[in-house]
Amino acid sequence: MVQAYRFALVPNASQEHALRSHCGAARAAYNWAVGWVGASWWQRRAEESYGIAEEDLTEWRPWSLPALRKAFNEAKHTDPRFAAWWEENSKEAYSTGLANAAAAFDNYAKSKRGQRKGKRVGVPRFKSKRKARLSCRFTTGTIRVERDGRHVTLPRLGTLRTHEPTAGLLTRVQAGTARILSATVRHERGRWFVSFQAEVKRDLVRVARPDAAVGIDLGVKILAVMADSTGEIRTVANPGHYDAARKQLRRASRTVSRRRGPDRRTGQKPSRRWEKADAARNKVHHRVANVREDALHKLTTAVAAEYGTIVVEDLNVAGMLRNRRLARRIADAGFGEIRHQLDYKTSRRHATRLVIANRWYPSSKTCSGCGEVKAKLPLHIRTYECDACHLVIDRDDNAALNLAALAAACVTGTGVAGDQDTVPAVPKPRGADQKTRTTRPAARRRRGGQVAQPCRTSGKQKRETVLKPKPLTLW
């Protein structure tokens, strides 16, 4: 498998200058490619406005990586933007920018043709020197981890010291079970990092309970409620890393506001005291992000190493962040990162099964004891009370039990589990109107109501209701 090993760097003043120069060269090459390709587009548009025939218009300039490299190598000797300094950096820096430009144009073309998932991608734009992320990728040249375990060597940059030991990658390289493919340097959260992409040969690790399944219900007050197939329930409290640092952030932000900051309208430069105060505030933000990342990695690693089947919900995190009352806490919890980490840790390390519950599966509205489904369950009601079997249980515990029971029931070929028959026959626009139908357990069905079909599940053989819509009657 291909795996990344990331280490923090401790460069000296000259090495940091070289790192910034390489990343700036990548940005400059990207902007050149965007301008070179875009020039033919604007030229054709101008010629069309004059009524020039299609066959007489300026030819389209290609944006493939080989074509961009060939054009850039011809232009770098005469273009005043590169002629004076392009030899100071490695050729890999310019290849990084050209490769990113080629990928950006490909994404735009595929999005325009409807061949790319997600939001529509616009025309590539120039990268700002003030906002662009500093990054550069090396694929050829001297790329190695030194034998002392505390230094790495990169093309044109030389040997750089690492903040932490590189034994994890060095041991595999020396044993012949890993081969370094490329290296990427990036400035992130106030520090420089190097990420080695390596082809690694490793054995899968057997989980502690391969026959057990766990359902994970994520929340704000309680970060995760985990219920396994045996009925055991465990909770993980939300640490609230951002809320814990808000007092410190307020004080740091107040200090920044009282210094003379930059003003782009008048060209005012920031004072040294403002730069120091801004660096102190950023340091608090970086620490919050690092602590959150560490906590999420520990949680997902422990879950992936214990259970053979993990069931999580397909949450609409982007839609949840539009709620101004909960957006800060949802973003601090990291719902999307939890699912992302479970996705690759279950497949790469343990080869276990990750089941994604349907977004419209009523895990909180379904009784974990008898299977009755309620039509409505407002968010402020934190206790589930079943009208059929009179079960009283915490709302999150009930949802986690239903997700755990869903592991062995109604799993589709795409890895998405849920109540597939609840989709209406004629969906409304955008498909965001799916409502939960009220159902009764099989033993208490009412005559003339909706038919409930039981679906066998693992563990305690709980029953899940699969709904069929009642025929429409007009009068």
Side-chain angles (χ1 to χ4, degrees):
M1 67 178 66
V2 178
Q3 183 176 343
Y5 291 83
R6 192 175 75 156
F7 307 100
L9 297 175
V10 189
N12 54 35
S14 61
Q15 290 174 343
E16 184 169 2
H17 175 76
L19 286 169
R20 292 184 178 275
S21 178
H22 277 70
C23 296
R27 179 187 59 83
Y30 176 90
N31 289 342
W32 176 89
V34 171
W36 185 75
V37 175
S40 65
W41 295 12
W42 290 108
Q43 180 65 23
R44 289 177 62 93
R45 181 175 297 182
E47 292 173 355
E48 289 175 354
S49 65
Y50 287 101
I52 299 177
E54 178 70 23
E55 59 273 8
D56 298 332
L57 295 178
T58 302
E59 294 184 0
W60 296 100
R61 285 178 174 174
W63 61 70
S64 63
L65 181 56
L68 291 178
R69 280 179 176 173
K70 182 178 179 180
F72 179 79
N73 290 333
E74 295 175 354
K76 65 184 180 182
H77 299 282
T78 58
D79 195 324
R81 294 173 294 180
F82 301 98
W85 58 271
W86 71 268
E87 295 180 347
E88 299 177 2
N89 303 301
S90 172
K91 65 181 179 63
E92 293 296 320
Y94 307 103
S95 297
T96 299
L98 299 178
N100 293 340
F105 280 108
D106 285 340
N107 291 335
Y108 165 69
K110 292 179 181 178
S111 178
K112 191 173 183 179
R113 293 193 301 262
Q115 299 175 354
R116 188 179 187 273
K117 296 182 179 179
K119 294 183 179 179
R120 188 167 182 176
V121 178
V123 180
R125 297 180 294 180
F126 295 109
K127 289 186 178 181
S128 170
K129 183 178 180 180
R130 185 171 58 92
K131 296 182 180 180
R133 174 173 293 179
L134 301 178
S135 178
C136 180
R137 186 167 182 255
F138 301 91
T139 57
T140 60
T142 305
I143 305 174
R144 67 170 179 262
V145 181
E146 299 298 337
R147 294 186 176 182
D148 60 355
R150 295 305 298 264
H151 292 82
V152 297
T153 301
L154 299 174
R156 294 296 296 269
L157 297 174
T159 302
L160 296 90
R161 181 174 175 82
T162 59
H163 180 73
E164 51 193 341
T166 60
L169 177 58
L170 179 63
T171 304
R172 291 187 174 273
V173 171
Q174 293 177 344
T177 58
R179 182 172 64 93
I180 297 178
L181 303 177
S182 64
T184 303
V185 292
R186 173 176 293 185
H187 188 265
E188 190 177 44
R189 299 176 187 173
R191 307 192 65 171
W192 285 97
F193 293 89
V194 58
S195 177
F196 291 97
Q197 188 180 25
E199 189 178 28
V200 181
K201 179 182 179 182
R202 61 188 310 170
D203 298 328
L204 296 174
V205 181
R206 182 179 176 87
V207 297
R209 302 167 61 186
D211 298 331
V214 62
I216 303 178
D217 181 74
L218 302 178
V220 174
K221 184 177 181 181
I222 303 297
L223 178 60
V225 178
M226 299 180 291
D228 57 21
S229 52
T230 62
E232 180 183 359
I233 300 177
R234 290 185 293 177
T235 60
V236 178
N238 190 352
H241 305 290
Y242 183 80
D243 288 342
R246 288 186 67 189
K247 183 177 180 180
Q248 190 176 1
L249 283 172
R250 281 197 300 267
R251 184 173 301 174
S253 300
R254 189 183 304 117
T255 304
V256 173
S257 66
R258 292 173 178 174
R259 304 289 186 263
R260 192 188 69 183
D263 192 344
R264 297 184 63 191
R265 296 172 299 178
T266 60
Q268 175 179 286
K269 300 294 183 181
S271 64
R272 294 295 300 273
R273 299 178 71 212
W274 183 93
E275 292 178 348
K276 292 181 180 180
D278 186 60
R281 179 179 59 178
N282 291 339
K283 188 176 181 180
V284 179
H285 280 292
H286 298 157
R287 174 171 174 75
V288 171
N290 292 333
V291 173
R292 181 191 301 116
E293 183 180 9
D294 178 70
L296 294 182
H297 271 294
K298 290 179 179 178
L299 171 63
T300 54
T301 300
V303 173
E306 182 176 358
Y307 300 98
T309 303
I310 302 174
V311 186
V312 294
E313 293 179 300
D314 182 21
L315 298 176
N316 183 17
V317 181
M320 298 167 67
L321 291 177
R322 297 191 185 101
N323 187 339
R324 62 183 181 87
R325 299 180 184 274
L326 300 176
R328 187 183 75 243
R329 296 182 181 273
I330 292 174
D332 189 24
F335 291 167
E337 185 64 21
I338 291 176
R339 176 177 168 181
H340 168 67
Q341 293 182 9
L342 287 176
D343 190 11
Y344 75 82
K345 289 181 181 180
T346 53
S347 60
R348 298 180 185 178
R349 297 184 183 181
H350 308 285
T352 54
R353 187 175 64 158
L354 178 66
V355 179
I356 308 300
N358 192 318
R359 180 172 297 181
W360 306 105
Y361 174 69
S363 58
S364 299
K365 303 175 184 178
T366 304
C367 177
S368 58
C370 64
E372 181 185 6
V373 180
K374 289 188 176 182
K376 295 183 179 180
L377 188 64
L379 190 60
H380 68 274
I381 298 179
R382 309 308 305 170
T383 302
Y384 184 90
E385 298 180 2
C386 181
D387 299 331
C389 64
H390 306 290
L391 174 67
V392 179
I393 188 173
D394 183 79
R395 176 197 184 106
D396 297 334
D397 296 352
N398 180 69
L401 289 172
N402 287 325
L403 292 175
L406 193 64
C410 305
V411 180
T412 65
T414 59
V416 179
D419 202 347
Q420 304 294 335
D421 293 337
T422 58
V423 181
V426 182
K428 294 183 179 179
R430 293 181 294 183
D433 62 336
Q434 303 194 23
K435 299 181 180 179
T436 305
R437 274 73 171 175
T438 304
T439 62
R440 292 287 182 177
R444 301 184 178 215
R445 287 190 301 226
R446 295 182 179 179
R447 185 177 181 182
Q450 298 177 352
V451 181
Q453 297 178 351
C455 180
R456 291 189 176 274
T457 60
S458 60
K460 296 183 179 181
Q461 297 297 325
K462 298 175 184 178
R463 304 175 71 85
E464 175 197 1
T465 57
V466 180
L467 309 178
K468 288 186 177 180
K470 182 180 178 181
L472 182 63
T473 303
L474 301 178
W475 64 88

